Amino acid sequence: MSQLTGKFNDALLYAATLHATQTRKGGAVPYMAHLMAVCAVALEAGGNEDLAIAALLHDAVEDQGGAPILKEIRQRFGEKVAAVVHGCTDTDQEPKPPWLQRKQDYLHHLRSADDDVRLVSAADKVCNARSILFDYHTLEGAGGEYGRGHEIWERFHANSEHQLWYYRGLVQALHAGESGRPTKVAPLIDELQRLVVELEKLRA
């Protein structure tokens, strides 16, 4: 059993401070809700304390300061955490490169990423896909009386076709990393694949 120590508590507070003013796309939900969800999924999949911390901080470099934040994470939480956070970051540049270029590069990187990076990345994508489906059904309404589910795609930099292309690519890249050997990541890949099928049905 993985034990959580004061190091985890420090990371939780650090993440809450970094993302204090950030909300989820298209709403007023504090971004920490997403970070804690990814952390929970990573722990449930068998991740240790370092991976739980990396899950809390997986968006810190991309969204909250770039390379200087990665350096700070390394100093505070160690090389392993920093390496996983870096592996889950699609860019540390500002301004960010075009969306399609970033995602193509990230998919290429993910195919050869180590199991720790793939576990945290898969946890992140599973949580994102769950959120999209939840928000779709909320906007659509019970029985469809609201009928606004299509609006979820308007929150993103890319249209629904490109978003679904990216999610399909994530499943393929994560599968490639398995290399015929079952890992802790495998159940998350299976769940992500099921979620992608549901997303494709919504768009059909």
Side-chain angles (χ1 to χ4, degrees):
M1 181 176 68
S2 180
Q3 297 292 324
L4 300 179
T5 69
K7 180 180 175 182
F8 176 84
N9 297 340
D10 291 344
L12 187 61
L13 180 59
Y14 180 65
T17 302
L18 282 178
H19 296 273
T21 61
Q22 190 176 356
T23 58
R24 293 287 280 161
K25 286 185 175 71
V29 176
Y31 201 74
M32 276 301 295
H34 169 66
L35 301 179
M36 290 188 292
V38 176
C39 178
V41 171
L43 284 170
E44 289 166 357
N48 60 18
E49 182 177 53
D50 279 346
L51 296 189
I53 292 171
L56 288 173
L57 300 175
H58 74 274
D59 276 335
V61 175
E62 192 172 316
D63 292 345
Q64 300 299 330
I69 292 296
L70 183 62
K71 181 179 179 181
E72 188 170 297
I73 288 171
R74 182 176 291 108
Q75 292 170 341
R76 283 174 172 258
F77 305 107
E79 182 58 42
K80 182 59 187 178
V81 171
V84 176
V85 170
H86 184 257
C88 292
T89 302
D90 69 20
T91 185
D92 61 3
Q93 300 176 34
E94 189 60 44
K96 294 179 181 181
W99 184 90
L100 186 58
Q101 176 189 331
R102 283 190 286 121
K103 301 311 178 186
Q104 288 173 331
D105 290 345
Y106 187 74
L107 291 176
H108 178 74
H109 151 74
L110 195 58
R111 297 180 73 87
S112 58
D114 67 28
D115 290 348
D116 290 341
V117 169
R118 294 189 313 111
L119 187 146
V120 175
S121 181
D124 173 38
K125 307 315 177 191
V126 163
C127 289
N128 283 337
R130 286 176 180 173
S131 291
I132 293 171
L133 284 168
F134 178 83
D135 289 350
Y136 178 91
H137 290 298
T138 299
L139 287 170
E140 197 65 12
E145 66 265 29
Y146 303 140
R148 295 166 48 208
H150 66 280
E151 292 179 11
I152 60 167
W153 304 111
E154 298 171 8
R155 301 174 180 177
F156 303 104
H157 295 295
N159 60 30
S160 60
E161 181 179 351
H162 283 158
Q163 285 289 336
L164 290 172
W165 162 83
Y166 181 50
Y167 275 98
R168 286 191 295 266
L170 287 165
V171 171
Q172 293 169 1
L174 289 164
H175 268 307
E178 292 292 277
S179 301
R181 53 185 180 87
T183 70
K184 293 176 181 178
V185 190
L188 295 180
I189 301 172
D190 291 342
E191 180 173 0
L192 182 60
Q193 189 161 23
R194 289 192 295 270
L195 291 166
V196 171
V197 169
E198 289 301 310
L199 289 172
E200 288 177 327
K201 288 178 181 176
L202 296 183
R203 184 178 173 273

